[in-house]
Every structure is written in C-alpha cells, then in structure tokens.
Amino acid sequence: MRDSIASGTSSDTDQTSQPATTPFIVTRSDHKGVLTCGLSQGARRAGLQPGMRLAEARSIMPDLVNINEDPGLYARNQTRLIKHLDRYSPWIAPDRVLMRDNLAGEGGFWLEMTGGCHLFGGEETLIKQAQHDLTTLGFSCKAGMADSAGAAWACARFHAGDRILSLPAHHNTARGFPVEGLRLSPDILTTLHRLGIRQLQDVADLPRATLTTRLGADVLQKLDQFYGRLPEHLNFHLPDQPWLIRQKYGEPLGDAANLEAAVRQMVAQLCTQLQNENKGLRRIILRCVRVDGHAHTVQITTSTACQSAPHIDRLLAEKMPGVDTGFGIEEIILYAPWVEHVAFRQINLDTNVSQNGNSIALAQLFDRIGHHLGPRDQLFRPGHHACHLPEKATNRQPVGTPPSPACLPDIHLPKRPIRLIDPPEPVQILHRTVDGAPATLRWRRMDLEITAISGPERLCPEWWDHLDQGGFALHEQTRDYFHIHDHTGRWLWLCRTLRCRPTEPASDMSFSPSFKIGFATPTPSTQDALSVTTSQSPKPRKNTRTLQELWSVHGLFA
Amino acid sequence: MASKLQQARAALMQAENQWQGRAPSVNGGREHLITRAFGDIDLKPYFAAGGLMPTGLHEIMTEHDDSATSALAWYMAGLQATASPQAQMPTVLWVRQRKALDQGKLYPPALFASPARHNLVMMTINQQQTALWACEEAAKSGQIATIILETTDYDLTAARRLQLACEAGNTRLIVLRHHRAGQNIATSPAWSRWQIKPQGTYRKLSLIGGRGVRPASWKVTIDEATLFVSVADTLENRLSPGCCHTTSAHKQPVHA
C-alpha cells in the first residue's frame, strides 16, 4: 500500500518582516497591469481575492501595502522546506503546478510515506508533528494522508475529519469532496460548476464517454489518479549531482579523434574535481548525443574508487570505437553516479605495499582485464562461506575488496580436496568387500581398484532448510564421504547418497546395489585404513522401504 | 608533466623494490635464483643457470593426476629464493580455462589451510584466446607475483609471447599444460618443465626439460594440509646427481 502525505503550505506570513496584523499583498506585473499573487490573512479578511488587480484592491482598501514578488525567495523557501521535511521521508515532491499557477501564495509538497509511518508513531501523530513543525517555521499548514497522491492532495484541503483517507473504507467521505479536489484547470472547473457538478460523486456517477466528449480527457485522468487507477508521476526532489559535466558543441564533433580529445578533457576535469573532494568514482556514464537525437551510452565500472584520469581514459578508449558519430556529436554528458570516499593516499615509498607494486595499480589491472571478459567469464576473489556442503563452502567476492587473510573457521574439519568435481560424477560399484565397502568401481569407463579407504565423513543437509525432516541419517541429501586410494595412485573423494525407492528394487545387484534398512548400513572397512570420523550411523529399523545407494566422485586430493 | 612524474615514481618504486629484495631485478632475476626446493633438494646441478629461475615461464605437464599438478603449481607459486619478511601476501592469479583440465576445478578451501599466505585471485575463462591475453596483460603489468594458468595446448608463438611478457614484468608464470601419454611434447621457450605422476603411495616428480636443464626425477610426497611438496626418502634419492655432477650439468643441457 502506498501512503502519500500532501501538505499544503501557505507562506504568506513568512514573505516579509511586516507585522502580520497589517494587511498586505504580494503583486506581480503582467502585460495588463499589476496583479495580486499572494495575500495576508488580514487582506483576505478585508475581502481581497487572489488574482485581483492592484487598483481594485486599493479601491477596497486604500491603505493596502503591496510588495513585489521575488521568485528567488519562493525557491529558497521551497529548498528550506524540503530540507526540513527530509526528516520524514527521502521522497519529497514539490507541487510544481500549484507553485506556477496559484495566485494565493500557496505551495505544496508530497511526501512518499509508504512503510515509514510507524517510525513516527502512526499516521495521526505524523500529521500532527509535520503540522507543528511547519507552524513553528512560520508557515500555516494543512496536511492529509491517503493512498494516492491525488487523494492526499484533496484530503489535505477538503477533509473535514482527521485528514486520513483510506479509500475503500472511506469511500463515502471521498464522494463528498468538492470537484476542486481533482486539481483541474479553472476553465474546466467553471464548466463543471455551470453544469451543476459540485462534488466528486457527481463526476464519478456520470458516463465516462460523455465526460471525455464534453470536458476533455483531463477530468477522467485526474479522477482515475484520485482513485489510484492510473499512476501519478511526481517530480521527486533529488539531491544535486555535482559529478556531472555537460558540454554542448555549436559545431558538432564529426571526427572520432575530436570526440576522444573532448572526452579526455572532460574526464580530466571530473577527476580534478574528485581529487579536490577526496572522492573516487566507481562508475562513470558517458552519453554522446548526436545531432539526430540518438544518444550512445558507454558505461564503465571500476573495482575500486578511482580518481586517475589516464586509467579512465584507457578504459573509455576501449569502448569509444563503438560510438557512431554519424553527422556529428552535439552534446557530451559525463556523469559519475557512483562515487565513494577515498581514504587519503600518500604516494610514497612506503614498505606497506605488496610484493610487486601497489594496490592501486593492481586494481587498475583488474579493471582492464575485467572489461575484456565475456558474459561467462569470471574474475573473482575466492572467499569462504560457512557451510559444510563442499560446493557451497566457497563464494565469489569482488576483486575490489581488500584481501583478507585467508582464514578458515572450520580448520579442524577433515581435509578437503584440491580439485572439486562439481557436479559429482556418478560411479558404478563393480565389486564389494564382504562388509559392503566398495572394492572396485568404474569411473569414466575406467575400472579402479580401491587399495585403501577411510571414512565416512557424514554431511547432513542444513537443518533450517529441512525442518520437516525427522531422521537426517536417512535423508536423501545426507552424504557420506570416503577417501579412497586407487591402484593408479590417486586419492579420490567418494560420495555416497541414499535414495528412497517406493517399490522393490530391481535384482541387478552388481550395478545398482540396494539394501534394506533392516540390515546394518554397509560400513566401509578394509584392511587397515579405516578411520571413522563420524560414528553416526543410521539406526536399524523395521522398515520395508528400500534405499538405493548412489556413489559419485566429488573431488581429488593432492 | 604528470605522466613524467608518474614514470619517475614507478621507476623509483621499482628500484626500491629491487633494493629491498621484494622484486627480482632485471635480467630475469638471475641474482635471485631458487637453489633449494622440494624439501631440501639442491637444484644447482640441474640448471645451467645455477638454479630455478624465479620469473618467467615454467610448465607443468599434466596427464593423469590434475590434483597433484595443481598442488605442485601452488607450491611452486610460493617458492622464494630467500624468505624476506616484507614480502607478505603476494598476489597469485589463477586463470582457469573451462574444460582445459577435465578433473574438476580448483577448490580454494583446500588452499586456505596452507600456510602460504597468498592474495589469491581467480579467473574462469571460456576461450583460450582470452585466457592468454589476460595472462599476458597481467604478466606485463608486474603487479602480480605469480600467475598459474590452466589451458589447453598452445603453440610456440603464444609461449614466446608469454615468456616475453613475464620478462617485461618480472612475473612468474606457471602453466598447467595438458599432455597425452605417447604424444610428442611441443617445443616451448619455458625455463623449466615439470611432471608429477603417482607412483605407489608416493609421487614421482620429474624435471623433464627446459632451457639448460638436466633432467632428473625424485620421489616426493605432498602434504595434503599444507600442500608442501617434499622429497619422500632422501636415502632413495641419494644416487641422484649431487654436487659431484655439477660440472656435467653445464655440458649436457637438454632443450625440450
């Protein structure tokens, strides 16, 4: 659910240092004369109207004080209010239409409060707090909250109760709002009033086709936006992006060499700015806009924060041949959307660098290599993930992260193979010893005689993933690992899993050996190499289910 | 002006690295030859240069046992002429071309337990062309101490390019080169060529070729935890050419 809070502010008491008791107006000059575009409370009470000519106003109130409008003051107050309202939500959209067209000195803001009301003690408390804050700042304020931006706008102005509108529940309240709550233009409002349509329910009950024919598409659009049936695009205020350089060329750049020189100059400028602010960029976007409007975008991401212009030039130069200048590039935009703080780097002969070169040069090397890799190629720093399952015990970390000392928390675990075969390759057990351990197996069409075997090491599936399973010992994902030494001299990591079979197994005992649970589990033990690391064996049960053993090679030891 | 300053800084830093022994100096690092390795084997008699070259191209032929080959490569990546206390966490780049070696992929948790503290970075690459390019670029940059490359067979031109790149950047490059039994071994400008094969409960480490190399073989064991390759039984290896054959090594170099 989306909650919007709209606050309408009237900034009349803040525009000047005049005492609030003296009636005054703010005026604007247009081609017809001087126009009222803001009124104080006293002027309102005297009967003055927004949009009134100054001569008319003086005829009503001869000693009226008028002040010329200062557009810069509006902008400064808006910025100040946005900074203040930032404490409630980072998504603040000023009501630009109201700022432009309103002649009563009003302004408004939308705050996207989805999922954030509980932080301020609920919706009612939030509204009260926002009103109190703005009143303290010297603005008169009305606030409302609703599910859509349009409804919140209307709610802030026309809701008689607690100014919170939840649409399916408060449908009747919404129907009683005046049509001014739809944010329509004055012409349409005049037509609606002339037709006797004064409330929202009058519009909502009319046939939609007739409305569009008579009044245009705007009414239905605003009505649908009010009820949340159409999206509302708000101009959210974003913080300034200082890491953007825009360069326009009166004479379009038609030559690739000219383009490259221009880009190099802009990169150098950006990097100087970054160095002055002790920042480094992680991503840079270059947009070359052609005269025909086509924009070619080149994006580059670095592994660490970078402020070196030659390095960025080199990375960009590899992608610049893809830019088609066509009839000329008339605008270049260089933008660094991802900028990080760089710790102070002292370029000296410090001995705290790695064996060859330093970390900056290493990161630049990985950047150069990484930009050449294809979609299936990977460049990563192997990390350790706390998981006993072998294929999940390692993860891939970005190369930009600082090298952590290779630590293995589970260092006391049994040895791990140096090469992992993932996914495991199934093997066939050709012969077994009398106690059930494999004696000969076939892997990759090679018959391997097992000369030594040790194990098992039992790895159970993670219990938090299999909460419903009672017996882990017989779980399908429980694995037993054995070290086996074959006659060629290799040490293999053999994995055994059990698979439940609902019916009696086939009688092919030599290639797919199966056993009943009633028997003891085939504990592999051979001449002298048995060392059971985990002595947790399945308990014997009276069960007629049959389990099939699946053996596979999962790795090779050094 | 800025570029000249950077060049001067780089030259100064390289000179300082060489002075402190952190990076081998020019001329392929002949002053820092590795004379003892694999436990306590004296390598001087087997190399005309007087020891194993710390930089440049080295090849390990892999045929049957990729795990032992990987362990040997990891051990050779950590070989140093003299243990210098400042040389901490050298960067090792392990480049793996997919499907070059068919016995699985390197499993880093096995390396974490080894005492060799390396800053390991891995690459997995689909095409050999990209893998060779990445190795050449990394070797030329001089920022990486050792590169280990798993790749399918490559020609003399590629090997020569890699060797030149290693010489330019003073980098050690160890290539795991697949070799089928019975096939002729292709020529290569590598400084040394090794092979490791299972032999009973031990493994047979062979120095099979290289520039100015006298072939030899030893019976070694690999410690599974630390991945150290060391001579299994010094008594069995006592008949291998020792100090008495030092002069003959210069007379009979083998070019493979």
Side-chain angles (χ1 to χ4, degrees):
Chain A
M1 182 171 138
R2 171 196 155 122
D3 282 326
S4 289
I5 178 170
S7 65
T9 58
S10 174
S11 55
D12 49 1
T13 57
D14 197 64
Q15 295 292 307
T16 174
S17 58
Q18 292 281 338
T21 51
T22 312
F24 70 93
I25 56 172
V26 183
T27 52
R28 179 192 301 169
S29 300
D30 63 357
H31 63 285
K32 286 184 184 171
V34 185
L35 184 75
T36 310
C37 64
L39 299 117
S40 72
Q41 297 280 359
R44 260 177 228 270
R45 278 196 294 272
L48 302 186
Q49 296 290 328
M52 196 179 259
R53 295 286 151 190
L54 179 61
E56 289 178 75
R58 282 206 191 282
S59 68
I60 295 173
M61 208 173 193
D63 56 343
L64 186 66
V65 179
N66 71 309
I67 308 159
N68 282 331
E69 183 191 35
D70 179 8
L73 191 65
Y74 274 107
R76 282 196 293 278
N77 273 318
Q78 179 179 320
T79 313
R80 179 179 159 212
L81 277 172
I82 285 174
K83 273 187 186 169
H84 186 80
L85 292 172
D86 193 24
R87 69 193 61 189
Y88 299 113
S89 166
W91 294 101
I92 303 167
D95 189 347
R96 293 189 179 179
V97 179
L98 192 67
M99 296 274 185
R100 187 188 64 214
D101 296 342
N102 185 267
L103 293 175
E106 289 181 354
F109 299 94
W110 278 285
L111 272 75
E112 173 71 73
M113 287 307 299
T114 307
C117 292
H118 67 282
L119 300 173
F120 305 96
E123 295 173 351
E124 294 92 350
T125 323
L126 170 65
I127 287 182
K128 279 181 193 160
Q129 181 67 38
Q131 281 180 324
H132 177 258
D133 279 359
L134 291 177
T135 312
T136 314
L137 283 177
F139 296 90
S140 61
C141 163
K142 288 184 282 185
M145 181 173 276
D147 296 334
S148 65
W153 195 92
C155 189
R157 285 159 180 81
F158 305 111
H159 198 293
D162 55 358
R163 297 184 184 275
I164 295 171
L165 190 78
S166 182
L167 264 183
H170 305 146
H171 191 62
N172 287 332
T173 315
R175 284 170 65 84
F177 282 173
V179 283
E180 283 83 357
L182 288 181
R183 293 175 291 153
L184 297 168
S185 66
D187 303 343
I188 298 177
L189 280 178
T190 313
T191 315
L192 285 173
H193 286 167
R194 197 175 294 157
L195 294 171
I197 298 172
R198 302 203 177 271
Q199 288 185 328
L200 207 66
Q201 57 187 352
D202 303 334
V203 187
D205 293 343
L206 282 176
R208 292 172 67 90
T210 324
L211 264 179
T212 312
T213 317
R214 295 286 297 273
L215 301 164
D218 204 25
V219 181
L220 276 185
Q221 188 193 355
K222 287 284 164 38
L223 189 68
D224 288 342
Q225 284 177 344
F226 181 92
Y227 284 110
R229 292 187 290 249
L230 279 182
E232 174 100 32
H233 299 292
L234 300 176
N235 292 308
F236 285 109
H237 179 80
L238 296 174
D240 293 338
Q241 297 287 354
W243 313 117
L244 185 142
I245 297 178
R246 185 190 294 262
Q247 185 78 51
K248 287 195 175 187
Y249 297 95
E251 184 67 30
L253 304 172
D255 189 14
N258 284 348
L259 176 66
E260 207 165 304
V263 169
R264 200 177 302 132
Q265 198 179 355
M266 289 167 72
V267 167
Q269 189 184 345
L270 185 68
C271 285
T272 313
Q273 287 179 17
L274 286 167
Q275 282 166 5
N276 291 340
E277 304 250 345
N278 235 4
K279 305 261 186 197
L281 61 88
R282 290 291 306 273
R283 181 171 297 153
I284 187 165
I285 297 175
L286 172 72
R287 280 175 77 85
C288 302
V289 185
R290 269 193 335 224
V291 285
D292 57 0
H294 175 84
H296 191 102
T297 307
V298 174
Q299 178 174 317
I300 275 172
T301 310
T302 59
S303 58
T304 51
C306 170
Q307 44 180 223
S308 154
H311 178 56
I312 298 170
D313 281 339
R314 182 169 176 175
L315 294 180
L316 279 174
E318 290 174 3
K319 300 206 173 185
M320 287 307 279
V323 180
D324 179 17
T325 52
F327 292 109
I329 304 280
E330 64 173 1
E331 185 177 12
I332 301 176
I333 303 168
L334 197 69
Y335 174 42
W338 184 4
V339 172
E340 283 182 356
H341 185 74
V342 177
F344 179 65
R345 286 173 177 161
Q346 186 179 4
I347 303 172
N348 64 353
L349 304 174
D350 188 11
T351 54
N352 198 15
V353 291
S354 59
Q355 185 191 15
N356 287 335
N358 52 59
S359 58
I360 302 174
L362 194 64
Q364 292 183 353
L365 169 72
F366 288 140
D367 283 344
R368 287 203 302 273
I369 292 179
H371 278 88
H372 266 273
L373 298 186
R376 292 196 60 214
D377 301 338
Q378 298 154 346
L379 173 65
F380 58 95
R381 188 186 295 284
H384 181 257
H385 180 232
C387 180
H388 286 183
L389 300 178
E391 64 272 14
K392 292 185 184 172
T394 176
N395 57 8
R396 291 201 291 261
Q397 293 173 352
V399 286
T401 54
S404 58
C407 62
L408 195 60
D410 300 325
I411 198 97
H412 54 277
L413 268 180
K415 286 171 288 195
R416 287 288 174 258
I418 190 169
R419 292 191 82 87
L420 189 77
I421 297 177
D422 189 23
E425 294 180 359
V427 295
Q428 293 172 333
I429 306 295
L430 301 183
H431 298 106
R432 288 169 178 270
T433 57
V434 285
D435 50 4
T440 312
L441 54 86
R442 175 172 289 171
W443 176 46
R444 295 182 173 179
R445 297 188 290 175
M446 292 180 295
D447 291 353
L448 304 179
E449 291 171 17
I450 299 176
T451 57
I453 183 167
S454 65
E457 178 197 350
R458 170 153 293 174
L459 295 181
C460 292
E462 291 157 335
W463 61 265
W464 52 89
D465 283 344
H466 302 274
L467 291 173
D468 54 332
Q469 298 292 336
F472 271 109
L474 295 178
H475 194 272
E476 282 194 4
Q477 294 181 25
T478 299
R479 310 172 190 171
D480 290 333
Y481 281 98
F482 301 89
H483 292 209
I484 64 163
H485 189 230
D486 67 359
H487 71 282
T488 61
R490 283 181 304 194
W491 283 94
L492 303 179
W493 209 30
L494 206 60
C495 169
R496 181 187 66 180
T497 50
L498 300 178
R499 177 163 294 176
C500 276
R501 298 189 68 179
T503 57
E504 285 293 317
S507 58
D508 185 10
M509 296 296 286
S510 60
F511 286 94
S512 60
S514 60
F515 61 95
K516 292 199 174 184
I517 293 299
F519 293 92
T521 316
T523 311
S525 64
T526 49
Q527 304 83 8
D528 53 348
L530 176 65
S531 66
V532 178
T533 54
T534 311
S535 59
Q536 181 190 1
S537 61
K539 291 177 184 172
R541 290 186 195 172
K542 292 291 179 190
N543 196 340
T544 53
R545 278 192 313 161
T546 54
L547 294 178
Q548 186 190 10
E549 282 183 321
L550 296 175
W551 292 83
S552 48
V553 175
H554 207 170
L556 286 96
F557 288 93
Chain B
M1 182 63 196
S3 64
K4 281 187 179 175
L5 201 59
Q6 279 183 347
Q7 284 173 3
R9 275 190 188 127
L12 199 54
M13 185 170 283
Q14 191 175 4
E16 199 214 10
N17 281 341
Q18 288 167 6
W19 178 59
Q20 294 193 345
R22 277 182 275 143
S25 61
V26 288
N27 195 16
R30 281 177 192 275
E31 294 85 355
H32 299 272
L33 294 171
I34 298 163
T35 52
R36 287 199 173 269
F38 308 112
D40 202 18
I41 300 180
D42 186 10
L43 294 178
K44 273 184 201 166
Y46 308 105
F47 291 93
L52 183 64
M53 198 64 75
T55 59
L57 180 66
H58 301 271
E59 288 179 351
I60 304 176
M61 313 307 289
T62 170
E63 174 194 347
H64 176 66
D65 190 1
D66 290 347
S67 56
T69 316
S70 305
L72 177 64
W74 182 253
Y75 174 76
M76 286 179 65
L79 280 181
Q80 293 291 336
T82 51
S84 58
Q86 289 123 353
Q88 289 174 352
M89 298 278 282
T91 307
V92 174
L93 178 67
W94 193 299
V95 183
R96 168 175 169 256
Q97 183 195 339
R98 273 199 188 87
K99 296 172 184 170
L101 303 187
D102 65 343
Q103 292 176 6
K105 58 186 177 188
L106 182 77
Y107 190 51
L111 307 179
F112 291 161
S114 94
R117 289 279 173 263
H118 289 165
N119 171 19
L120 178 65
V121 178
M122 293 174 70
M123 284 178 80
T124 309
I125 286 180
N126 239 15
Q127 294 182 344
Q128 190 194 34
Q129 203 180 359
T130 319
L132 292 176
W133 171 83
C135 283
E136 191 181 350
E137 189 78 3
K140 253 192 298 192
S141 76
Q143 302 301 323
I144 290 182
T146 308
I147 304 167
I148 300 172
L149 169 67
E150 293 177 21
T151 181
T152 45
D153 212 2
Y154 54 93
D155 58 359
L156 185 61
T157 314
R160 184 73 188 135
R161 282 187 71 124
L162 289 176
Q163 176 71 287
L164 288 174
C166 287
E167 284 174 9
N170 283 338
T171 311
R172 188 183 308 171
L173 175 63
I174 301 168
V175 181
L176 308 188
R177 190 167 182 175
H178 190 71
H179 170 241
R180 277 182 205 285
Q183 225 178 18
N184 283 335
I185 297 180
T187 50
S188 148
W191 283 112
S192 67
R193 271 186 166 179
W194 303 83
Q195 197 166 33
I196 188 162
K197 282 182 176 177
Q199 192 180 49
T201 52
Y202 299 106
R203 287 193 164 90
K204 185 180 164 192
L205 171 69
S206 312
L207 175 60
I208 56 173
R211 284 201 240 169
V213 160
R214 174 172 184 177
S217 63
W218 301 271
K219 198 186 265 188
V220 295
T221 54
I222 300 177
D223 189 336
E224 285 181 25
T226 59
L227 297 177
F228 273 6
V229 183
S230 51
V231 179
D233 190 351
T234 44
L235 283 180
E236 286 191 27
N237 289 303
R238 70 186 187 279
L239 292 179
S240 62
C243 53
C244 52
H245 293 104
T246 312
T247 49
S248 61
H250 295 280
K251 291 175 185 170
Q252 301 169 345
V254 175
H255 294 269

